[in-house]
Structures are given as structure tokens and as C-alpha cells.
Amino acid sequence: MWPNRRLCDLLKIEHPIIQAPMAGSATPELAAAVSNAGGLGCASMLPDGLRTAARQLRTSTERPFNLNFFVFPRPDTSDAVLTQVIDRLRPYYEELSLDEPSRRLPPIGPGFDEEKLELLLEIRPPVVSFHFGIPDAAAVAKLKQSGIVVISTATNVAEARQLADGGADAVIAQGWEAGGHRGSHAPNRPGDGVGTMALVPQVVDAVNLPVIAAGGIADGRGIAAAFALGASGVQIGTGFLSCDEAGTDGPRRALIRAATDMDTMVTDAFTGRAARARRTRFALEMEVNRARLPDFPQMVALSAPLGEAGAKGDFAFHLYGQAAALNRELPAGELMQTLVAETGEVFEALSTGKTTPA
């Protein structure tokens, strides 16, 4: 059925549909269900849980799966930046009857280092994906020599070229519509971004690699559109948040159930890096008179207490994309079957000149 099987052949999957590593929801159970349905499931875990997650995945599926890592330098927040942000946040802490914001940010290492590389070489997942860039050439070479397929995210053409030059086997072209953190290789302003429809064909033209379209894709119409733009596959994150196996908490499930196309915004107020999340009073007010924030992910130490104490939701950090209103509450395997069937119907309608299915 698929007009371009380049990604399927690379990843050894039946359907070119990849489940994105959405924070807090990409459980081993969800990843295994997607892989068992013929796609590529992804588990997003803290490094100390990766061995357990990989073991669980291998017990639950014999098909390829993906482990995901962020790539970012060791945070180095200056005292001046910290003081400025604490002054900015103090009124919110007082409003919620919280103690003074802490001046002790957690010590955090780089997102990907030699220890994590050795862990991956030990686990040897079939696929490893990266966000915010790609490790150095030596690390990528070691992964590929171990038979691991390496993919990473680009949010513009220049980043896609960097990934190709850095040894990536495929590029995820992440459009502005996508929920979660934008995969830009350097921190950028929340207003910077390219939509999926403009980004994908330009990345396809720029790199001789399979391109995976991401952002705003939630049904067969979106998948077929991505192939029309030249993509070899799609990555869906928000669409899997409502699945039974996802680790999505109750409040976020309820928000998605009532979502509209205007519910979200891109903000760095919660983590220090731009992410598409539910529009909140806190995020909107932090966009006024913008200031430098602590380095990703140290900002979480200052924003998380607000979210935990803000009963009205004004400070909650709920990640999802612009197409959340199209979500279906289904088991992941059933959702995969539905997506494949819908895409086939669109291809059939287009080939026969009939009206595209709704």
C-alpha cells in the first residue's frame, strides 16, 4: 500500500508510523503495542530505567523498537540569570503560598554522554532517536557499527543537513504544530518555527535520507498528505496520548478530550527550551517582558513547584499538539489498524478520483 517503502526497509517495520517519545506517556507498554501492530514504538525513560524498559520491551515484542535521548550541553546557569528569574517568579510563589524559590538548581550532566553511549551499546536497541541534535561522529559511528539505526529531529533545513552530515540514517522533520519540545539544535525563541507542510518537502529536497514527517498528523488524511510531500513515514505523538497503554495522566487526558485547535502555545517558561503545551496564564504572562531563563532542564526546578501547587491549572505543564481534537481513545494496536485503514482509503480515493474520505 505504501508508495514509498524506504523507511520500512530501513527500520524493518510493516507500517511507516513511528510513535513519538512524548514525556510521561511513552511507556514500554505503549511502545510494545505500537511495534506489535507493525509500527515503531518508542520508550522514553530516564537512563537508570533503560535496562528495565528494554528488558520489558524484548519480553513484550519481537519487533523493532526505539529508545530516545535528548542531546544538550551541561547546564551552566549564571547567578545573575537565576536571581532575575527568581525575582520574576516570586509573586507566583507568594500567590500559591509557597516558600521562596530555591537558589539551588539541581546539578545535571549533559543530555548524552559516554556513560549513556556505553549503556546503549550494552542494550543494543534496534533504533535510537535523538532530540536537540545528534551526538558527535565517533559516538554515532559506534552505534551504527553495533547495528543500531540512528535517527534525529530537525526543525529546519539547515538542521536536517547537519544530521545527514553527522551520520543519521533518517531525519524527523518536526513541524511547528507538534506537541512537546521542539527539536531545534540550539535554544530558540518560542515564536521561531516552520510548519510541517512547508518543512517536509524542503527537507526531502535537501537530504538523501528517508524523511519522517512530524507535527499535526493524527489520521489517515495527515499520513497521506505527508507522503504527498515526499516523506517516507510519519511520527505521531499526541495521537497516541489517548491510548489505553499510554502513561498520560487523568488531567491531560481530560484536556485532550475537550481540546480545540487553539488550546496550545509554544513556550520555554517551564523548562528553558521551547515546547508546545496547553496555553496557560503562567506561560502567557512569562511571554511579556521576556527574560533569559535557566538552562534546560534546570528551569523545571523552579516551574514544577508552581504546577504542583496551582490547583486551578494556571501553572500546569501539559504537552500536546495542535491536532489533539482528532485523538481517538483506543488501544494502541487498534489505533494503528485504524490509521493504516484510513490511509489506504485516502490513497484509494485519490487514485480513483473520488472524494477523499472524511
Side-chain angles (χ1 to χ4, degrees), residues 99-171:
D99 293 335
E100 177 79 4
S102 174
R103 290 196 60 87
R104 292 188 176 182
L105 296 179
I108 297 172
F112 192 79
D113 56 15
E114 191 67 27
E115 181 180 354
K116 296 182 180 68
L117 172 62
E118 292 303 318
L119 180 60
L120 281 177
L121 295 176
E122 172 194 329
I123 294 173
R124 294 199 179 191
V127 183
V128 172
S129 63
F130 295 101
H131 212 56
F132 301 149
I134 192 169
D136 62 46
V140 172
K142 288 181 180 179
L143 292 170
K144 296 175 72 169
Q145 287 165 7
S146 297
I148 300 171
V149 176
V150 176
I151 60 180
S152 189
T153 304
T155 61
N156 56 48
V157 170
E159 291 176 350
R161 290 194 174 110
Q162 291 169 7
L163 296 180
D165 292 342
D169 294 301
V171 172

Side-chain angles (χ1 to χ4, degrees), residues 1-3 219-228 338-358:
M1 179 188 78
W2 305 105
D219 60 18
R221 294 170 296 182
I223 296 171
F227 275 87
T338 301
L339 293 171
V340 172
E342 288 177 348
T343 307
E345 291 172 3
V346 175
F347 287 156
E348 176 65 20
L350 292 172
S351 67
T352 59
K354 297 178 181 177
T355 303
T356 303

